[in-house]
């Protein structure tokens, strides 16, 4: 019977001991409060849009370009006294004649000249003609002024049907 009591006490101890647990009186394990959230940043400001080209110097301008594969070409134009347009010069100039704008390709059979007034708006000009018929021409000529320099593109119908003479150009005042 002693053996039975001893077994019973052992089993009882094993069952009661986990319920008793371990005691303690520290504050370890207590949860603290979280910190406050930070505020968001501010957005940056946008940039300023660029303006068109700068004002054009008045008078005769000359320059050149290189068409690929159309070869080199010359360009000349005359800027009005108020800078608002390309206009015919008061006196014919050898390089431009009496034209407000003239372009001549060396290797490609194409060229362009006009004595019409061509407006300059926000430092740029643009001529475009996509004519039809046997005597109608094609040209798309752009230019942008930036102080004492100008640059642009020229695409002009060739004497050969369905071909164009094309290239970019740079010019400066010549007077």
């Amino acid at each position: 019977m002693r053996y039975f009591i001893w077994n019973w006490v052992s089993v009882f101890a094993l069952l009661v001991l986990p319920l008793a647990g371990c005691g303690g009186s520290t504050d370890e394990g207590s949860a603290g409060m979280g910190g406050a959230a930070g505020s968001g940043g501010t957005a940056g400001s946008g940039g300023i849009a660029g303006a068109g080209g700068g004002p054009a110097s008045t008078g005769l301008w000359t320059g050149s370009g290189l068409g690929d594969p159309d070869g080199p070409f010359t360009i000349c134009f005359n800027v009005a006294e108020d800078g608002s347009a390309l206009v015919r010069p008061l006196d014919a100039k050898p390089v431009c004649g009496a034209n407000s704008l003239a372009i001549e390709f060396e290797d490609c059979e194409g060229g362009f000249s006009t004595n019409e007034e061509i407006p300059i708006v926000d430092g740029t000009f643009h001529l475009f003609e996509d004519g039809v018929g046997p005597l109608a021409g094609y040209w798309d000529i752009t230019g942008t002024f930036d102080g004492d320099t100008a640059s642009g593109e020229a695409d002009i119908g060739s004497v050969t049907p369905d071909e164009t003479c094309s290239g970019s150009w740079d010019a400066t005042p010549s007077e």
Side-chain angles (χ1 to χ4, degrees), residues 10-35:
S10 297
V11 170
F12 180 74
L14 288 173
L15 291 174
V16 173
L17 188 61
L19 295 176
C22 297
S25 62
T26 65
D27 289 337
E28 290 178 12
S30 297
M33 295 184 60

Side-chain angles (χ1 to χ4, degrees), residues 51-54 56 61 77 120-126 142-153 169-171:
W61 289 60
F77 49 87
I120 299 173
V121 179
D122 293 330
T124 64
F125 67 87
H126 184 203
T142 61
T144 301
F145 293 93
D146 189 11
D148 284 342
T149 61
S151 60
E153 302 285 327
W169 58 267
D170 294 303

Side-chain angles (χ1 to χ4, degrees), residues 55-164:
S57 296
T58 61
L60 183 66
W61 289 60
T62 57
S64 61
L66 183 60
D68 185 24
D70 299 323
F73 64 95
T74 58
I75 183 169
C76 64
F77 49 87
N78 189 61
V79 177
E81 288 295 321
D82 64 0
S84 66
L86 304 183
V87 295
R88 292 177 60 170
L90 297 175
D91 299 320
K93 308 291 185 194
V95 67
C96 250
N99 295 303
S100 55
L101 173 67
I103 298 174
E104 185 176 336
F105 279 83
E106 290 180 24
D107 297 338
C108 184
E109 294 186 34
F112 174 85
S113 65
T114 184
N115 56 17
E116 298 292 321
E117 186 171 300
I118 302 162
I120 299 173
V121 179
D122 293 330
T124 64
F125 67 87
H126 184 203
L127 283 81
F128 179 76
E129 176 65 42
D130 190 11
V132 293
L135 299 176
Y138 168 79
W139 54 85
D140 189 2
I141 305 166
T142 61
T144 301
F145 293 93
D146 189 11
D148 284 342
T149 61
S151 60
E153 302 285 327
D155 190 18
I156 300 168
S158 172
V159 174
T160 307
D162 299 325
E163 290 187 16
T164 60

